[in-house]
């Protein structure tokens, strides 16, 4: 079980771009992390991986996998200490594989890091079967440019699975793919999550994908978590006005109105985030208390919570 | 791979033919009668007629070219007017010096430019990086002859460690120890080029380090040193390898100056002297040989590029 507590990521001595983010991912569960571009989703995921770019650093909070603190460890340090089996796949399968190495070599490399005694080529073939790549033996000797985008993302998943991860982080893994291929990859992730009993952190800006795939959802805005809930309650009865606003922006095929709804204004940039609730300036329910001080945590359905003074569907006593 | 080699070789041969026509035409671009220009004002009509006949200048142009090219293919580049010996002999006399100088210079460039560029990239932003990048900038901006003169001043005149000029063949008295005559010239020649390769290696390493696949490699949990060697370096070297072809071209032109500064009996100096002597057949011959070497080096660069980068064949 992966547990993130009060995670803060900052730019050098500059502003915090991820603030006090906490969530848990249970084995076999897919947590969808939703937010607009620039909301801090990707930086949260890179922080969990220990892969933040050199200009960014974790300045508070912790990341625990089971009982081990892996907060400040880079992946190679995690391997050395034999802990923190968290793997990641990325948005751009086209550029995420080394163009001059054969697919097989890149998978075998990942196998050998975690299990030096394994028969790497046999295991690489197993992994390609696992991610449903046909004709595995032949594909192992292909170069990345010889594969399609969907195939490359499957290879990325195979590389990620080489360490037998407890948690897989998927950062918008289907955004760059065709819709049909997208569905196949989503199906594969769901299937692997169930069969390998692996937790998945699925990052996306697409609420439709979340509704289809995730068990639980965390909604992020301007570096903070606005609302966390099981997928059912979140779509039926969102607590936070921002969550409700995002859903109103989903295209509705039955609506006659040709203009889709939008949330007025734009997300604040790091360093310009207002005091109090960061969403207050764009929120039609906001009033004086929203603009300063701590925002209280409110609860809805079991497992549903949000930070809001004036939630939409609060359930008393929850 | 086979088709790639054939295509590249074909392109090189086509370039050579085009270049040979330009080189051939060069003799006819000389203002006035080339024979008078070569022989000077005091030439007797007999001498003029003899040279005109020897050079085949009375034949039609196409025939002249074909005869010249045919002879060149058989290793006959004509007669030197000054030395009155075959041009091939004149070139061969300087070849040992020039080839050894180029080889030793390339060794310096690769042995210094590439590893130090890697070091600067790994230590990006530190004092080491700033120091090395500053040094590279300095070496790249200073002219070769100036570096050469300072090297002579310090290591030959001042410390007396190395000879300052000339080069006796390694086949003569002294044997391989004669290579010490080439150390200072090759250092002078290598300095600006090694600096360029250093800067290119550094920039290329830093570029590649930002690639998504390097992040993938880190995510696997492999050691940072292995990320650098296996994932960053190999991709970064693609740009560096293709620069070697241009470095070679720079070496040729700078060698002319260096051989003059160090009084080396190389092909570069022969060219300078032949220009002053208006010994056109020698100039033509040397240019042709340089073009051939340039094409061969670039062919090697292209083919090794193919070995490093599997994507090339598709493009």
């Amino acid at each position: 079980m992966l547990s993130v507590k009060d995670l803060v990521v900052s730019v050098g001595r500059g502003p915090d771009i991820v603030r006090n983010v906490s969530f848990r991912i249970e084995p076999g569960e897919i947590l969808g992390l939703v937010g607009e571009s620039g909301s801090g989703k990707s930086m949260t995921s890179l922080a969990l991986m220990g892969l933040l770019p050199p200009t960014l650093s974790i300045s508070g909070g912790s990341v625990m996998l089971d009982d081990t603190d892996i907060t400040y460890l880079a992946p190679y340090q995690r391997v050395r200490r034999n802990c923190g089996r968290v793997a990641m796949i990325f948005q751009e399968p086209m550029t995420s594989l080394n163009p001059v190495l054969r697919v097989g070599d890149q998978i075998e490399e990942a196998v050998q890091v975690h299990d030096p005694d394994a028969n790497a080529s046999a295991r690489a073939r197993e992994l390609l079967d696992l991610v449903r790549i046909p004709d595995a033996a032949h594909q192992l000797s292909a170069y990345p440019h010889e594969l399609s985008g969907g195939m490359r993302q499957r290879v990325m998943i195979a590389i990620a699975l080489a360490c037998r991860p407890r948690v897989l982080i998927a950062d918008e893994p289907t955004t760059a793919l065709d819709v049909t291929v997208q569905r196949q990859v989503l199906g594969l992730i769901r299937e692997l999550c169930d069969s390998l009993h692996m937790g998945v952190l699925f990052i996306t800006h697409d609420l439709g994908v979340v509704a289809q795939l995730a068990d639980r959802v965390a909604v992020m805005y301007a570096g903070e978590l606005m609302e966390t809930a099981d997928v059912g309650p979140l779509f039926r009865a969102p607590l936070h006005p921002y969550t409700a606003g995002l859903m109103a922006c989903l295209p509705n095929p039955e609506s006659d109105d040709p203009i889709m709804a939008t949330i007025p204004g734009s997300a604040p940039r790091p360093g310009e985030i207002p005091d109090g609730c960061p969403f207050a300036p764009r929120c039609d329910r906001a009033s004086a208390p929203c603009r300063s001080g701590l925002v209280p945590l409110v609860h809805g359905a079991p497992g549903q919570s949000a930070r809001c003074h004036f939630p939409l569907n609060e359930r008393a006593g929850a | 791979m086979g088709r790639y080699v054939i295509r590249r070789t074909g392109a090189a041969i086509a370039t050579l033919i085009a270049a040979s026509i330009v080189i051939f035409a060069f003799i006819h671009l000389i203002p006035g009668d080339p024979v008078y220009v070569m022989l000077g004002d005091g030439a007797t009509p007999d001498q003029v007629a003899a040279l005109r006949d020897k050079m085949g200048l009375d034949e039609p142009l196409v025939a002249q070219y074909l005869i010249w090219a045919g002879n060149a293919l058989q290793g006959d580049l004509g007669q030197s007017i000054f030395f009155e010996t075959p041009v091939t002999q004149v070139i061969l006399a300087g070849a040992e010096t020039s080839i050894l100088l180029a080889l030793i210079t390339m060794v310096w460039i690769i042995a210094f430019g590439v590893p130090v560029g890697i070091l600067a990239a790994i230590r990006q932003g530190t004092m080491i990086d700033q120091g090395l990048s500053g040094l590279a900038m300095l070496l790249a901006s200073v002219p070769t002859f100036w570096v050469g003169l300072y090297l002579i001043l310090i290591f030959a005149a001042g410390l007396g460690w190395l000879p300052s000029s000339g080069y006796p063949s390694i086949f003569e008295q002294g044997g391989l120890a004669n290579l010490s005559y080439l150390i200072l010239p090759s250092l002078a020649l290598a300095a600006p080029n090694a600096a360029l390769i250093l800067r290119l290696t550094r920039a290329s390493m830093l570029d590649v380090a930002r690639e998504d696949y390097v992040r993938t490699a880190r995510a696997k949990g492999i050691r940072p040193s292995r990320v650098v060697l296996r994932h960053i370096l190999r991709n970064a070297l693609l740009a560096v390898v293709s620069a070697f072809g241009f470095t070679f071209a720079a070496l040729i032109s700078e060698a002319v100056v260096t051989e003059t500064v160090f009084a080396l009996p190389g092909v570069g100096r022969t060219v300078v002297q032949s220009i002053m002597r208006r010994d056109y057949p020698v100039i033509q011959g040397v240019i042709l040989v340089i073009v051939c070497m340039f094409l061969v080096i670039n062919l090697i660069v292209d083919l090794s590029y193919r070995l490093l980068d599997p994507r090339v064949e598709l493009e």
Side-chain angles (χ1 to χ4, degrees):
Chain A
M1 184 258 298
L2 181 85
S3 119
V4 178
K5 214 165 169 332
D6 298 326
L7 186 73
V8 182
V9 175
S10 39
V11 188
R13 275 181 207 145
D16 297 339
I17 54 171
V18 173
R19 280 166 297 133
N20 299 322
V21 165
S22 303
F23 56 80
R24 293 152 69 99
I25 303 171
E26 303 289 342
E29 176 189 70
I30 297 182
L31 173 68
L33 182 59
V34 193
E36 298 167 69
S37 318
S39 59
K41 328 179 281 286
S42 288
M43 290 308 144
T44 305
S45 65
L46 290 174
L48 304 195
M49 260 322 270
L51 275 180
L52 281 176
T55 46
L56 302 184
S57 61
I58 298 176
S59 51
S62 65
V63 181
M64 307 280 286
L65 186 65
D66 298 323
D67 295 321
T68 318
D69 186 340
I70 56 170
T71 316
Y72 296 99
L73 300 179
Y76 76 98
Q77 293 166 315
R78 296 177 184 182
V79 168
R80 200 173 284 168
R81 291 173 203 205
N82 196 20
C83 70
R85 293 213 309 273
V86 181
M88 184 159 179
I89 58 176
F90 303 96
Q91 183 170 349
E92 278 296 336
M94 294 304 186
T95 54
S96 292
L97 290 167
N98 190 330
V100 303
L101 296 178
R102 289 178 199 279
V103 164
D105 293 337
Q106 302 194 48
I107 301 175
E108 285 172 28
E109 183 179 40
V111 170
Q112 277 162 346
V113 172
H114 296 273
D115 192 358
D117 304 325
N119 177 346
S121 64
R123 176 103 174 95
R125 204 164 310 148
E126 262 174 53
L127 286 165
L128 282 195
D129 289 339
L130 197 61
V131 296
R132 309 252 179 285
I133 291 186
D135 193 13
H138 177 246
Q139 302 294 358
L140 283 172
S141 60
Y143 285 101
H145 69 266
E146 297 165 337
L147 302 181
S148 66
M151 282 299 152
R152 286 189 222 185
Q153 197 58 286
R154 285 164 196 264
V155 169
M156 285 299 294
I157 298 174
I159 289 174
L161 295 180
C163 73
R164 303 177 199 273
R166 301 287 318 281
V167 175
L168 174 70
I169 301 173
D171 185 0
E172 307 226 17
T174 57
T175 310
L177 302 177
D178 293 342
V179 183
T180 47
V181 180
Q182 186 173 350
R183 291 192 75 91
Q184 295 167 1
V185 172
L186 293 178
L188 178 67
I189 290 175
R190 175 82 256 178
E191 192 186 311
L192 292 169
C193 168
D194 295 340
S195 65
L196 303 174
H197 209 55
M198 174 177 75
V200 174
L201 177 64
F202 192 95
I203 293 158
T204 181
H205 60 261
D206 186 342
L207 272 182
V209 168
V210 166
Q212 192 183 342
L213 184 73
D215 300 303
R216 289 169 53 72
V217 185
V219 179
M220 202 164 181
Y221 180 81
E224 288 179 35
L225 280 193
M226 298 282 105
E227 177 162 7
T228 311
D230 287 349
V231 69
L234 187 92
F235 280 88
R236 271 196 306 276
L239 286 176
H240 202 286
Y242 177 61
T243 316
L246 280 183
M247 283 174 200
C249 296
L250 282 176
N252 181 1
E254 274 137 49
S255 159
D256 293 332
D257 187 356
I259 299 162
M260 289 204 285
T262 55
I263 303 174
S266 58
R269 286 188 305 202
E272 295 167 7
I273 292 163
D275 211 24
C277 174
F279 185 60
R282 301 172 71 187
C283 181
D284 51 14
R285 298 168 70 90
S287 64
C290 302
R291 304 195 207 282
S292 65
L294 268 179
V295 183
L297 195 65
V298 292
H299 297 274
Q304 184 177 24
S305 63
R307 290 213 172 265
C308 188
H309 284 285
F310 306 107
L312 292 155
N313 296 292
E314 190 176 13
R315 215 159 288 180
Chain B
M1 183 77 193
R3 283 187 51 198
Y4 182 76
V5 175
I6 291 167
R7 226 171 50 218
R8 282 291 159 182
T9 314
I13 290 171
T15 313
L16 178 60
I17 292 172
S20 73
I21 292 173
V22 174
I23 295 166
F24 165 78
F26 161 70
I27 203 136
H28 294 276
L29 296 176
I30 301 168
D33 189 327
V35 175
Y36 277 108
V37 174
M38 286 183 216
L39 292 178
D41 292 337
T44 64
D46 281 355
Q47 284 175 309
V48 171
L51 184 60
R52 194 184 293 278
D53 185 48
K54 201 163 74 179
M55 293 178 66
L57 289 173
D58 293 327
E59 305 278 336
L61 266 184
V62 177
Q64 283 188 42
Y65 171 72
L66 290 178
I67 292 167
W68 178 78
N71 287 340
L73 279 179
Q74 294 165 37
D76 176 8
L77 294 169
Q79 289 274 324
S80 161
I81 293 161
F82 179 82
F83 295 102
E84 295 185 327
T85 56
V87 169
T88 3
Q89 249 178 48
V90 177
I91 295 174
L92 281 177
E96 181 197 332
T97 314
S98 291
I99 290 171
L100 285 175
L101 180 65
L103 284 179
I104 298 173
T105 305
M106 276 318 263
V107 169
W108 292 135
I109 292 173
I110 295 170
F112 177 79
V114 174
V116 178
I118 295 172
L119 179 69
I122 293 173
R123 298 267 176 270
Q124 187 203 4
T126 64
M127 297 277 282
I128 296 177
D129 174 32
Q130 282 159 8
L132 291 173
S133 299
L135 178 71
M137 184 73 99
L138 181 75
L139 289 179
S141 342
V142 170
T144 316
F145 70 86
W146 189 89
V147 177
L149 290 176
Y150 259 83
L151 286 174
I152 292 176
L153 213 60
I154 296 169
F155 293 100
L159 299 167
W161 289 351
L162 291 164
S164 66
S165 66
Y167 168 70
S169 165
I170 51 170
F171 303 109
E172 287 167 17
Q173 181 82 42
L176 285 177
N178 289 343
L179 288 180
S180 65
Y181 283 85
L182 293 180
I183 292 179
L184 291 184
S186 60
L187 281 176
L189 194 49
N193 295 296
L196 287 177
I197 293 289
L198 186 162
R199 287 158 55 79
L200 185 66
T201 307
R202 175 183 179 276
S204 184
M205 292 276 294
L206 292 177
D207 263 1
V208 174
R210 280 192 289 271
E211 293 282 348
D212 289 346
Y213 55 80
V214 174
R215 186 177 56 187
T216 305
R218 290 210 181 89
K220 287 177 187 173
I222 55 185
R223 289 189 313 276
S225 57
R226 192 176 154 94
V227 173
V228 169
L229 290 176
R230 187 173 158 107
H231 293 275
I232 301 180
L233 184 58
R234 186 165 163 195
N235 285 285
L237 283 184
L238 288 177
V240 180
V241 165
S242 56
F244 280 145
F246 298 104
T247 305
F248 180 75
L251 280 191
I252 291 172
S253 58
E254 285 158 15
V256 173
V257 178
T258 311
E259 286 178 7
T260 309
V261 170
F262 288 90
L264 299 179
V267 177
R269 205 167 62 136
T270 310
V271 169
V272 175
Q273 289 168 346
S274 299
I275 291 170
M276 302 210 237
R277 291 170 187 144
R278 297 189 191 153
D279 197 344
Y280 291 101
V282 174
I283 304 173
Q284 270 182 316
V286 172
I287 296 175
L288 190 65
V289 169
I290 288 175
V291 167
C292 286
M293 284 171 62
F294 189 69
L295 288 173
V296 168
I297 299 251
N298 272 288
L299 190 61
I300 294 172
V301 165
D302 277 355
L303 296 182
S304 56
Y305 205 87
R306 168 67 185 81
L307 290 179
L308 285 168
D309 190 346
R311 289 165 301 182
V312 166
E313 205 155 23
L314 287 176
E315 282 155 16

